[in-house]
């Protein structure tokens, strides 16, 4: 029961309270760049959820079994994590082309972009906080990281898809000339962030 | 390409944040105050210059197929150096920047410059390009930082603007929604300035084509009045017409 509450808290925080895009400013480049159409937003979101889950698991394993025993966690975490993420993205791309060509075609261009999506490296860095908790077992730590990875991705996707819906409507609305395009998208994001800010009281 | 041009184009014309829309995450996340913005800008500039230097030196023997992972590892190394130096000498700043310090690795500006410029150019231009783009980035996030700090906390560089505890602040600007709001408004303002300049240039060119040496200034000039009336179509709302410098006539 206690465990379930902890996981529920992690999930709710990742999706709403600490939404990656709207309250942590992670992954803003795809948030602005890929939110013009709803279909591409959904594709990008799915790809990010997928990579974030795998990256959370892989980097936590590396941290626990390689970096920590050899006392390198302060010096090599950034380098090893980014290499793992880059390799993972490449691997996912290859595997998907072979195993799920339809999905590969749908995600196509968005997959390689994910390497430089700061949300992915961000979630691996944030997961390290679980590892620093006292009296936490290895499996528990790994499981929490994975749950956090999945639902941070879900939160990212939620923000991205909502934004795409708003921007599709903005296309046909009378926006002042100097506000057209990206500036009005930021203003809309500000309104969304204000709405999401309301969730902060729940935590 | 002239060296001076390589250096200065990142300041305004190709400003990485306001024009190219790169590196948005740190530009919004650490700009709650000028101090953090400056620290972030300098750290990113250091990484940018060093990574451009190494990428440019090794551009001849990095195979084309694996260049992106190579660049990322080079960048990550310098970010680690910055992180360790900051942990030793500026622990407060490191705390304030939080996870955005390691996230310099995935700042699109740095990888973008390595890919677009340093991997194709000699050592000196690459370093100068890195420095110029870094200064442009620092400038941009400092502008956002100043705006947010003044509006959100009524302070500059952590010092209150007015004495006696009076503060005219809108707290939302140092919270997350204010970051988006400030960025959107600043982008709109820069768009407005750009459009105004383009219109003025077009007008000046028109004046030259019709044999009038200087751009038209006085409103009695028939050319300007035609443009003015054309400009009216579909546009209502007050505000100066911006067509002629020095004229404050409203645009309706």
């Amino acid at each position: 029961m206690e465990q379930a509450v902890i996981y529920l808290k992690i999930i709710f925080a990742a999706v709403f309270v600490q939404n990656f895009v709207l309250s942590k400013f992670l992954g803003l480049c795809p948030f602005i760049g890929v939110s013009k159409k709803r279909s591409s937003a959904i594709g990008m979101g799915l790809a990010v959820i997928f990579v974030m889950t795998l990256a959370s698991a892989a980097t936590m394993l590396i941290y626990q079994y390689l970096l920590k025993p050899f006392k390198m966690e302060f010096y090599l975490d950034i380098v090893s994590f980014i290499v793992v993420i880059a390799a993972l993205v490449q691997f996912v791309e290859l595997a998907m082309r072979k195993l799920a060509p339809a999905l590969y075609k749908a995600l196509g261009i968005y997959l390689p972009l994910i390497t430089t999506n700061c949300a992915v490296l961000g979630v691996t860095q944030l997961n390290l906080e679980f590892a620093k908790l006292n009296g936490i077992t290895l499996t528990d730590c790994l499981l929490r990281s994975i749950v956090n990875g999945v639902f941070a991705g879900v939160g990212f996707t939620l923000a991205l898809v909502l934004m795409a819906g708003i921007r599709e409507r903005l296309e046909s609305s009378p926006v002042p000339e100097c506000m057209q395009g990206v500036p009005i998208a930021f203003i809309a994001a500000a309104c969304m962030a204000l709405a999401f800010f309301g969730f902060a009281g729940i935590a | 390409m002239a060296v001076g041009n390589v250096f200065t184009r990142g300041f305004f014309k190709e400003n990485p944040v306001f024009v190219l829309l790169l590196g948005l995450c740190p530009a919004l996340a650490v700009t709650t105050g000028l101090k953090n913005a400056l620290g972030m800008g300098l750290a990113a500039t250091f990484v940018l210059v060093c990574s451009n230097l190494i990428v440019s030196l090794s551009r001849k023997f990095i195979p084309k197929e694996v260049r992106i992972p190579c660049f990322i590892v080079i960048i990550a190394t310098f970010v680690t150096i910055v992180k360790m130096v900051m942990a030793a000498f500026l622990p407060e700043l490191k705390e304030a920047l939080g996870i955005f310090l390691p996230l310099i690795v995935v700042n699109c500006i740095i990888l973008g410059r390595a890919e677009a410029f340093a991997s194709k150019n000699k050592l000196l231009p690459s370093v100068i390009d890195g420095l110029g783009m870094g200064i442009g980035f620092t400038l941009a996030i400092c502008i956002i930082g100043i705006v947010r700090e003044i509006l959100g906390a009524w302070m500059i560089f952590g010092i209150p603007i007015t004495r006696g505890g009076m503060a005219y602040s809108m707290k939302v600007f140092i919270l997350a929604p204010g970051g988006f709001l400030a960025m959107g408004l600043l982008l709109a303002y820069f768009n407005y300035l750009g459009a105004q300049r383009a219109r003025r240039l077009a007008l000046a060119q028109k004046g030259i084509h019709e044999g009038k040496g200087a751009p038209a200034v006085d409103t009695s000039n028939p050319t300007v009045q035609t443009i003015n009336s054309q400009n009216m179509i579909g546009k209502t709302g007050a505000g100066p017409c911006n067509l002629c410098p020095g004229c404050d006539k409203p645009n309706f």
Side-chain angles (χ1 to χ4, degrees), chain A residues 21-29 74-75 77-79 82-83 115-116 118 121-122 125 177-179 182-183 186-187 189-190 193-194 197, chain B residues 21 24-25 28-29 72-73 76 79-80 83-84 87 99-100 102-103 105-106 108 111 175-177 180-181 183-185 187-188 191-192 235:
Chain A
V21 181
L22 296 171
S23 85
K24 284 203 152 126
F25 298 117
L26 288 166
L28 281 183
C29 299
F74 189 68
Y75 314 106
D77 59 342
I78 303 174
V79 180
I82 192 73
V83 172
T115 314
T116 52
C118 53
L121 189 64
Q125 290 281 332
E177 198 184 333
C178 64
M179 294 275 238
V182 179
F186 269 108
I187 307 281
L194 265 180
F197 198 68
Chain B
L21 294 173
L24 288 175
C25 308
L28 293 189
I72 286 189
V73 173
V79 173
T80 309
K83 181 181 150 191
M84 287 163 71
I99 64 162
F100 284 91
L103 287 183
V105 179
V106 280
C108 333
L111 191 65
L175 300 172
F180 288 108
L181 198 58
M183 184 72 189
L185 293 176
L187 277 176
N191 270 355
Y192 171 76
K235 279 189 185 172

